[in-house]
Amino acid sequence: MPAETPRVFVTREIPAAGLDLIRQQCDAEIWPEPLPPSREVLLQKIQGCAGVLTLLTEKVDAEFMDAAGPQLKVISNYAVGYNNISVDEATSRGIAVGNTPGVLTEATADMAFALLISAARRIVESERYVQQGKWKTWEPLGHIGCDLEGRTIGIVGMGRIGSSMARKCHGGWNMKVLYHDNYRNEAAEQEFGAKQVDLDTLLAESDFVSVHTDLNPTTEGMFNADAFRKMKPTAVFVNTARGPLHVQADLAAALASGEIFAAGLDVTNPEPIEMDDPLLKLPNCIVAPHIASGTVSSRNGMAEIAAANLLNGLKGEPLRCPVKA
Ligand code: DGY
């Protein structure tokens, strides 16, 4: 490896579609463990690096950038979300930040829909019933779930993933689409008649509420006791975005009391969820381990973009997918 080859740290093994390029062009250290490095080890590993490829488990703040040193040029996040990164801090230091949008849109919306239909039709609960040997006969009154056809989906955050979820719900199940967003999405309005409404209207009128907004100080905790109280008792809540968007204890209380019908979560707060979290004891809550982008093409696409962002940033070139402060 020539002396000028840039030193980088990659905080976990990612698909070869990206990792091979990084290995070929950099003096790369790749954290080999399935669990993230401790903070102490991370700060030590990034010392002197020109680039770091991070996951959503790594907090990239001023302390991180100080530990890396002034030669740090680029932080490439292997995720579309970047709430783990202080982008303002990086930008003020001239450090480029990249993310991986686009390639995981359909996979994430598929997962949101999978959680919606699984929670609405009580699929996980029913499967456990079979496993536990409780299935004795066909039950006219057993395992009754919610209808989907022609119902109303409320999308909170009508960006790429929210639009894809709305398209699936409207195209496949003829659902009416309400959305809440700071921005108007005219394409969604034209394509599937989506109607922009305030959050209270969306909560009151939706049969299914699916969250696709980013996590920031204004959205953190937006799904709290007050929000769940405004939802229909037959409503299903789906979160595939970020755990801290919902208040977990409030969600558990709303599900336990029947204030809402069911929930499907791909994200929790914290991650992983504590094993004594009340949500795990509720039959009407499905919890998956943050797997929405987990398809071959999504994860390979994310690896390719993350590698391109890293390599471009090291050369001082514009990133393929830059994040702006
Ligand atoms: C993301 O990309 O932000 C997801 O949460 C992980 O794929």
Side-chain angles (χ1 to χ4, degrees):
M1 194 83 46
E4 67 279 9
T5 305
R7 201 147 80 70
V8 303
F9 184 62
V10 179
T11 65
R12 223 84 86 254
E13 194 174 335
I14 62 166
L19 201 54
D20 286 352
L21 291 170
I22 297 171
R23 280 199 169 109
Q24 282 156 19
Q25 298 184 40
C26 305
D27 172 9
E29 181 174 359
I30 293 114
W31 182 250
E33 310 289 335
L35 293 181
S38 68
R39 181 75 176 171
E40 195 189 350
V41 170
L42 175 67
L43 298 187
Q44 181 245 313
K45 292 284 181 191
I46 61 177
Q47 266 172 44
C49 283
V52 186
L53 191 144
T54 50
L55 269 57
L56 49 84
T57 40
E58 279 78 59
K59 187 171 177 202
V60 181
D61 55 5
E63 182 191 39
F64 178 106
M65 296 170 213
D66 286 343
Q71 76 300 320
L72 182 64
K73 288 181 165 173
V74 56
I75 297 154
S76 172
N77 213 33
Y78 183 71
V80 65
Y82 48 85
N83 56 289
N84 56 313
I85 301 179
S86 304
V87 179
D88 287 345
E89 184 66 36
T91 306
S92 72
R93 296 176 187 226
I95 301 167
V97 178
N99 70 339
T100 65
V103 288
L104 44 69
T105 301
E106 298 309 324
T108 304
D110 286 349
M111 184 69 188
F113 191 78
L115 289 169
L116 185 159
I117 196 165
S118 302
R121 295 302 309 272
R122 305 172 65 170
I123 292 172
V124 173
E125 180 191 342
S126 305
E127 198 269 347
R128 283 190 197 130
Y129 187 83
V130 175
Q131 293 285 348
Q132 291 163 1
K134 293 180 178 166
W135 183 20
K136 304 295 180 204
T137 185
W138 187 83
E139 300 170 43
L141 300 177
H143 314 287
I144 306 291
C146 311
D147 291 292
L148 273 69
E149 178 70 22
R151 296 306 195 264
T152 298
I153 176 84
I155 302 282
V156 179
M158 189 61 106
R160 269 183 292 256
I161 300 171
S163 295
S164 170
M165 174 67 167
R167 184 175 300 113
K168 291 175 202 298
C169 291
H170 180 73
W173 280 264
N174 196 27
M175 286 192 205
K176 177 179 163 192
V177 178
L178 300 179
Y179 75 100
H180 177 69
D181 200 306
N182 292 338
Y183 302 96
R184 192 165 164 205
N185 187 328
E186 288 182 40
E189 292 180 11
Q190 275 166 23
E191 189 187 337
F192 33 79
K195 188 170 165 217
Q196 188 174 22
V197 292
D198 58 57
L199 186 61
D200 282 0
T201 304
L202 182 142
L203 296 173
E205 294 185 9
S206 299
D207 297 296
F208 308 105
V209 174
S210 191
V211 189
H212 302 282
T213 190
D214 58 336
L215 174 63
N216 61 51
T218 65
T219 59
E220 183 164 359
M222 73 188 287
F223 291 94
N224 53 18
D226 189 43
F228 295 124
R229 202 173 303 119
K230 290 173 180 161
M231 287 167 64
K232 296 182 182 182
T234 50
V236 174
F237 174 75
V238 175
N239 188 358
T240 52
R242 286 291 183 267
L245 292 166
H246 64 246
V247 178
Q248 211 135 288
D250 292 358
L251 175 59
L255 288 165
S257 67
E259 207 155 56
I260 66 171
F261 180 73
L265 307 176
D266 187 47
V267 289
T268 59
N269 184 24
E271 289 186 5
I273 192 169
E274 310 276 1
M275 286 314 289
D276 61 356
D277 192 299
L279 284 179
L280 294 182
K281 302 208 168 51
L282 292 171
N284 53 347
C285 186
I286 300 171
V287 181
H290 204 146
I291 59 168
S293 65
T295 69
V296 174
S297 73
S298 289
R299 291 283 166 85
N300 283 345
M302 290 167 67
E304 281 169 23
I305 297 175
N309 282 340
L310 186 75
L311 297 174
N312 285 11
L314 292 171
K315 290 183 219 141
E317 293 172 2
L319 303 200
R320 182 149 143 204
C321 299
V323 170
K324 301 275 180 241

